Amino acid sequence: MNDMNKQPASADQLMIQMEGVHKWYGQFHVLKDINLNVTQGERIVLCGPSGSGKSTTIRCLNRLEEHQQGRIVVDGHELTNDLKQIETIRSEVGMVFQHFNLFPHLTVLQNCTLAPMWVRKMPKRQAEEIAMQYLERVRIPEQANKYPGQLSGGQQQRVAIARALCMKPKIMLFDEPTSALDPEMVKEVLDTMIGLAQDGMTMLCVTHEMGFARTVANRVIFMDKGEIVEQAAPEKFFTNPENERTQLFLSQILH
Amino acid sequence: MNDMNKQPASADQLMIQMEGVHKWYGQFHVLKDINLNVTQGERIVLCGPSGSGKSTTIRCLNRLEEHQQGRIVVDGHELTNDLKQIETIRSEVGMVFQHFNLFPHLTVLQNCTLAPMWVRKMPKRQAEEIAMQYLERVRIPEQANKYPGQLSGGQQQRVAIARALCMKPKIMLFDEPTSALDPEMVKEVLDTMIGLAQDGMTMLCVTHEMGFARTVANRVIFMDKGEIVEQAAPEKFFTNPENERTQLFLSQILH
Amino acid sequence: MTTHIFKPDLPAPSRNVGVVGWMRSNLFSSWFNTLMTLAGLYLVWLIIPPLLNWAFIQADWTGDARSDCSREGACWVFIQSRFAQFMYGFYPADLRWRVDLAAVLAVVGAVPLFLKKTPHKARFGIGYLIAYPLIAYWLLHGGFLGMQTVSTSQWGGLMLTIIIAAVGIAGALPLGILLALGRRSEMPAIRVICVTFIEFWRGVPLITVLFMSSVMLPLFLPEGMNLDKLMRAMVMIIFFEAAYIAEVVRGGLQAIPKGQYEAAAAMGLGYWRSMMLVILPQALKLVIPGIVNTFIALFKDTSLVIIIGLFDFLNSIKRATADPAWLGMSTEGYVFAAFVYWIFCFGMSRYSMHLEHKLDRGHKR
Amino acid sequence: MRTTSKAAPSAGSYMRDPKVRAWLFQIIAVAAVVGIGWYLFHNTQTNLANRGITSGFGFLNNSAGFGIPQHLIDYTESDSYGRVFWVGLLNTLLVSIVGIVLATILGFILGIARLSPNWLIRKLATVYIETFRNIPPLLQIFFFYFAVLAPLPGPRDSISLWDMFFLNNRGLQMPAPFAAEGMWPFLIALLVAVVAVVVLHRWARLRRHATGERFPVLWTSLGLLIGLPLLAVLAFGAPFHWQVPELQRFNIRGGWVIIPELVSIVLALSIYTAAFIGETVRAGIQSVSHGQTEAAGSLGLRPGQTLRLVIVPQAMRVIIPPLTSQYLNLAKNSSLAAAIGYPDMVSLFAGTVLNQTGQAIETMAITMSVYLAISISISILMNWYNKRIALIER
Amino acid sequence: ATLDAVKKKGFVQCGISDGLPGFSYADAKGEYKGIDVDVCRAVAAAVFGDASKVKYSALTAKERFTALQSGEVDVLSRNTTWTSSRDAAMGLNFTGVTYYDGQGFLVNKKVGVSSAKELDGATVCIQAGTTTELNLSDYFRANNLQYTPITYDTSDESAKSLESGRCDVLTSDQSQLYAQRIKLASPDDYVVLPEVISKEPLGPSTRQGDEEWFDIVRWSLFAMVNAEELGLTSANVEEMAKTTKNPDVARLLGAEGEYGKDLKLPKDWAVQIVKQVGNYGEVFDRNVGAGSELKIERGLNALWNNGGLQYAPPVR
Ligand SMILES: Nc1ncnc2c1ncn2[C@@H]1O[C@H](COP(=O)(O)OP(=O)(O)OP(=O)(O)O)[C@@H](O)[C@H]1O
Ligand SMILES: Nc1ncnc2c1ncn2[C@@H]1O[C@H](COP(=O)(O)OP(=O)(O)OP(=O)(O)O)[C@@H](O)[C@H]1O
Ligand SMILES: [Mg+2]
Ligand SMILES: [Mg+2]
């Protein structure tokens, strides 16, 4: 549709590889045989009805949830129970949550420098420089010394994005980053995300903002009942979906 | 505009008289030389930007706030520190709040009979009869035995109106009665208020519902920074305001 | 156009569900947890079997003297033979039916208050609260209407403990409410008086207060003025607990939105009427769990009257363990006491949790 | 600025002015309080005079003449009642402080155990909490004193550890240090080590901020703390003679002893209070939403770091206020020591001294003031801490 | 004044010990018995003609003086030693001596000591707030001995502690030691050491500043001693009141003169005391002497004309 939908430069470098991933909550089979490859610079939007397992899928990618069967490889590291491995992966995968989850007892700046300093063992000065850089990137450098409680929802979510970026992740995961925001704030967050996409960040994004999906996604994945039902480039996905579930879903969600 | 805007019958009987009223909150001068006469049956709408002192003005009328200078006479009783006087005035002035302030531990019926029984010392039977009458008037007699928490916002506000009416007040004060309501409920409350106006109740209403003002008000008063900036009949007020601040305000509020 | 065929749900791998899955995730999820489980099991094994052995298997249940006990396990014979004293103290044996009757009346009278569908519940409740104390006083103490007097010095045991706790809460509640209102008053002098009162009682240990009441009080009164020792202790306990109740109630008052005060005022209700009709009913309902918790604390605190020589439950047990005929029964005595206190307090705390739960639901309505 | 109302106020209307009323009401209340106070004071004065009871605080200088089994400062029978006061106060503070420390440690362990992923540990913690918080502390003190500690063997059959520590029904005896030639070098070395550790910590933090590198602070600190004094000992000789307890005719004498009264009261109070603190801690930790843990985890923080940097700082603000009242309760409950003959403030001063001198009013006033002072100090300290950690919000 | 207050309320409030066999203790039915209790009963018999009009307050040693000072009790009859400071500074007045006692030591035979001088280093159980506490420290200091005091509020606790071995020796007034001993599980394992380290005149006391009441309590006590000296017993006193020829007896029993009136008591006050409570010898015998479990010799407490110290002023 526009220049954002071009295939990324090095299409062959796999960043995420899910092979036959299954997951159960107790007896409940949430993820069924998920197969998904994401190459570097790809921007993927996950959508689907509530409870279809979108969150679970991306939470499996940084081991906030454990999968029980199948293989997940992130940037060449396989996710096992090895704590070292998990730590490495987590520091390379940034995640942004629906409810921001900023640390309320730390200032915006401290939120951003915490992980670089303690995980990357970065000097404080340097961590702060990088943090300010990213805060400028999300256009709130002037809030650096406030506490999260003093910011609006949109501002908080942008801080959350900056916080994740400060770890210089290779992949960013977003779990409905705008759904807890008032309508007037959604745009500022989406703009920030579009900016990120333009810089070539590999992104996996659970969202129902179809406008956003059209603008930035290389691929839209539709999930239902724990399975990937359809995946396609957004033009195809929105104009001419193959699957009847997808059509139904789209008809409900668009207008 | 329509027949509601006719001058009330006994225009010369003053119900409210404010003469040079000043009020301070600490060092902050909220009301500055307010002069206002309201005759029986008049329906006045107060509007103005937030913080301009509208609520404070009407709260002074039944001594929820104390004014520090000037004279306020309500239905012939001057507001002084005399408790007896205050009690008399309060029982003749009904008030409806933005947040309903129904008593959640009492049923709708008990909410309505509380003041008549304890202030007017009315027998329970009679109080209940009157209450049912007014609940019918606001079209929710069937909810009489529910608790406020079980009603929608619009219903609650109508109960609040009925509760105030049960004291058979001579004047009704409304402080943004619809601004805490979901849009679909605003109309049912406004309708109730229009009904009241048609019955000739003296009303002072803080609201930003300009449609309502057009329909029922005899006079619209515009306040800013603690002063009455302009007052006029609604036709004049909306079509041809004199003051530039009024114009600015109207331009912001009407679409 | 295709129709997606959903794959069937598969059963979870057996190591993730069922007993095995449960144990894996709840007991052995990591090496540290496995270690903790083993340590926990060892602890249980260390405590439970000897305890069961002592309290039940090897215990002696029948007999009437110390010699009937093998001393291998607990000697419950001791409790059994002193049971009446633990319950009634020195209340005359032939008049104990009066205590029983009072207790039965208390329970029977209270039942309708806890049932959902009692008609005129409020009126019944108030009537009960006024009438019961009179009846109970008549039954327990007597001295009028043809009832033989049993002086308070003969009261004792669990009966006394319960009486102190009940009177304590009944007195502390109204006083505490007044103090809470006073503390939130706009009149500075009243506020200062209430704050001082509350902080004083919360700052000193109950036993010093009880000591004062038991031996020093007459020093402050004109000569010849005489108050019953039990009554003085109760007054002190009431003051003490009222300070705590006041803080609980204050929390409730603070939780009532300002709009409620304003609405009541705008309707022409004065201070006392708006408090009684509008504010307090809501505030008190909010803090019922807090009040029950205070009552539990009060129930435990009654054991301190031992320090001033009142024959409450704990004291009657302590005295019994000093009886030469039953020497060496401390453990049995204290375990029994602990059990009884525990039953009462645990029961009440469950009740308070239940209320909290119910209130939570009430708010979400 | 005030109104001068034009309506001429009638006489009765003054009474209906809320301000007038408020004044009147307050005057009455103050008068009543003062009146009652004066009445009690007057009665007391007359009663004291009529009965020839001495009053005043002169008695504090009189010699006490009785022995005290545990005193943290030097005390002999010929010391004054004033000194008995200090002995009692210190004994009370000892119980309170040790009790608070133990209860806090145990309480935090319990609170964390209540949230353990391990079912068994969770249940055990619940059983502990439900058991101990529902039994009166006084009963627990009796239980430990009469049922647990009293049956310990006598001094002759002490349970001993390396013939240096002895446990029997007289308490726990252990060696006591006495100054020897090497004491000063030893103490100086220790002080130097402590200072060095503090400096090291500072330096390590600055270095971490500057370069991000970690310095093994813990191990170096331990090395310093042990090494330096050890060097001093090697160079200047032993710092202390140890007076090892020895069995004498009646008792094991010499060395330090922790008396069973102290053990009972401290054990009972900390076990009791820990049950409440455990619940407080659990509630505090639970008040921090799970999202915080996930966010920290997704940033790559380890569980330990998450707890230390994210969870605990937030939980503390919920924990502190109820924790304060638990501390206050424990301090007040320390007065129950009187029930088993531990020489605390109440038992020594409001008990024995009162009885020997007969000056009830003075001794009780002093005792109550002390407890009020303790309560207020704890409150102020905790409020200050609470303010420091309060969250800033809009 | 106390007498009026007592008459008004209809009973004597009497402070006694919280459990000391022979002196004051509650039996299984909760009824109080003992010498100290009998003094209270004698006062009630004198005032009301009814020895049962007494209410008891069981007091710990620590509470007792405050309770009397404050007016919580009318008479303190609780094995209390008469000392100068108590008499003078505490606002008490001792009315007489019911029992001449001295402080001693009770030890387990197993410890194997035969003299208090061998107690160096011992742990000693005492009751808080007693002269015992002070005498003990004097005695050990004078003899240059070490000791560790463990002070309890009640005698139950000190006895229990001796039994459990928390202390090696229990010190108290000798009479109390005998009383304590029978409260032990195996009394025969314990002996009272021969040393008596102090003078302990025990007697009832009243508040200072009320001479009238003081006299009543004092003379109730003297009446019992005089009765024994004159051979009056509970069995024969009524008879004697009617038939006596002995002027001493007649004056005491109110048959002659108005000695009761001087005390603001009924004429037959002494008759009632002796009839309902008994003479001093009877009381002693019943509670602590041969007729009791304690089996204490009269010793110092024999009448003066029998080699003892009990001596009452004449009624005249
Ligand atoms: N911790 C859990 N335990 C048990 N079931 C869970 C848990 N978390 C999620 N589920 C269930 O797993 C299913 C998938 O959840 P998931 O959160 O992945 O859905 P989703 O697609 O993100 O939905 P939404 O759009 O509502 O966020 C849902 O049915 C949910 O109820
Ligand atoms: N209790 C108070 N103490 C101090 N200042 C107050 C208080 N109540 C109101 N104010 C201030 O007085 C001014 C007027 O308040 P008021 O509530 O009358 O405004 P309003 O016109 O009703 O505004 P809105 O449309 O927002 O309700 C505001 O600036 C407000 O901040
Ligand atoms: Mg989701
Ligand atoms: Mg307003």
Side-chain angles (χ1 to χ4, degrees), chain C residues 215 218 232 307 318 321 324 327, chain E residues 70 72 157 160 163 183 185:
Chain C
V215 289
R232 288 192 311 229
I307 309 259
K318 186 156 168 277
T321 61
L327 272 177
Chain E
S70 69
E72 162 71 14
E157 276 163 354
K160 236 189 205 175
E163 187 114 46
K183 290 212 300 193

Side-chain angles (χ1 to χ4, degrees), chain A residues 25-26 28 30-31 48-57 59 65 98 175-176 206 208 223:
Chain A
Y25 281 126
F28 175 55
V30 236
L31 296 187
S50 179
S52 54
K54 309 177 296 293
S55 300
T56 311
T57 308
R59 289 160 61 87
E65 303 287 352
Q98 181 178 5
D175 192 357
E176 311 202 19
V206 176
H208 293 129
M223 288 186 71

Side-chain angles (χ1 to χ4, degrees), chain D residues 225-285:
Chain D
L225 281 175
I226 297 170
L228 277 183
L230 198 69
L231 275 179
V233 170
L234 290 180
F236 297 93
F240 302 112
H241 296 304
W242 292 93
Q243 192 193 35
V244 179
E246 264 178 273
L247 181 66
Q248 293 188 350
R249 167 138 200 192
F250 294 100
N251 273 336
I252 294 175
R253 288 194 82 85
W256 279 341
V257 57
I258 301 176
I259 57 175
E261 288 78 14
L262 175 64
V263 176
S264 313
I265 179 99
V266 166
L267 268 186
L269 289 187
S270 40
I271 285 178
Y272 176 71
T273 312
F276 289 90
I277 294 181
E279 278 302 87
T280 302
V281 169
R282 177 189 60 82
I285 294 179

Side-chain angles (χ1 to χ4, degrees), chain D residues 82-141:
Chain D
R83 196 159 182 91
V84 174
F85 167 81
W86 289 110
V87 171
L89 177 58
L90 287 176
N91 284 345
T92 288
L93 289 178
L94 178 71
V95 170
S96 307
I97 292 169
V98 176
I100 283 177
V101 170
L102 288 183
T104 310
I105 295 171
L106 191 55
F108 270 79
I109 293 174
L110 280 170
I112 292 166
R114 282 270 275 159
L115 296 170
S116 160
N118 188 314
W119 179 87
L120 186 69
I121 298 298
R122 225 157 49 220
K123 288 297 156 199
L124 282 176
T126 311
V127 168
Y128 173 100
I129 287 174
E130 289 300 352
T131 307
F132 286 102
R133 73 167 176 183
N134 284 319
I135 296 174
L138 183 61
L139 175 54
Q140 297 189 34
I141 293 172

Side-chain angles (χ1 to χ4, degrees), chain B residues 50-51 53-56 59 98 175-176 206:
Chain B
S50 177
K54 309 176 297 289
S55 301
T56 310
R59 288 160 62 88
Q98 181 179 4
D175 191 359
E176 311 202 19
V206 175

Side-chain angles (χ1 to χ4, degrees), chain A residues 59 62 64 87 90-91 93 95 97 101-105 114-115 117-119 121-125 147 149-152 163-164 167, chain D residues 208-214 289-302 305 308-310 313-314 317 391-394:
Chain A
R59 289 160 61 87
N62 67 350
L64 287 180
E87 218 172 280
R90 281 184 174 173
S91 69
V93 178
M95 181 149 183
F97 300 84
N101 292 342
L102 293 179
F103 305 132
H105 60 299
L114 187 75
M117 281 169 65
W118 289 93
V119 180
K121 319 238 187 284
M122 201 181 275
K124 190 175 176 190
R125 171 81 39 92
Y147 285 86
Q150 299 169 298
L151 305 184
S152 75
R163 178 175 71 174
M167 288 291 285
Chain D
R208 181 165 56 74
H209 283 172
T211 67
E213 278 169 64
R214 299 298 134 100
S289 74
H290 190 57
Q292 295 287 316
T293 320
E294 290 191 340
S298 73
L299 283 170
L301 292 175
R302 267 175 254 147
Q305 291 174 327
R308 190 157 53 91
L309 300 171
V310 176
Q314 295 185 55
R317 117 196 100 100
L391 273 193
I392 298 170
E393 270 171 358
R394 267 208 267 217

Side-chain angles (χ1 to χ4, degrees), chain B residues 55-110:
Chain B
S55 301
T56 310
T57 307
I58 68 167
R59 288 160 62 88
C60 278
L61 289 176
N62 66 349
R63 247 311 149 91
L64 285 182
E65 305 288 350
E66 196 180 326
H67 61 287
Q68 277 116 24
Q69 204 174 304
R71 240 163 69 91
I72 300 181
V73 182
V74 178
D75 193 27
H77 306 278
E78 177 167 357
L79 262 176
T80 60
N81 274 331
D82 186 340
L83 274 180
K84 200 97 208 159
Q85 200 77 276
I86 294 174
E87 210 175 291
T88 317
I89 290 177
R90 281 184 176 168
S91 70
E92 290 187 355
V93 176
M95 181 147 183
V96 174
F97 300 83
Q98 181 179 4
H99 291 109
F100 333 142
N101 293 343
L102 293 178
F103 304 136
H105 63 300
L106 301 177
T107 62
V108 166
L109 189 62
Q110 287 167 335

Side-chain angles (χ1 to χ4, degrees), chain A residues 3 43 47 61-63 65 73 77 86 89 97 156 162 172 179 191 199 201 206 216 219 229-230 251:
Chain A
D3 69 295
R43 297 173 296 280
C47 63
L61 288 177
N62 67 350
R63 251 304 153 90
E65 303 287 352
V73 182
H77 307 280
I86 294 176
I89 291 176
F97 300 84
Q156 290 194 41
M172 285 285 282
S179 64
D191 282 349
D199 292 357
M201 174 67 77
V206 176
V216 305
R219 193 158 24 129
V229 175
E230 178 160 1
S251 74

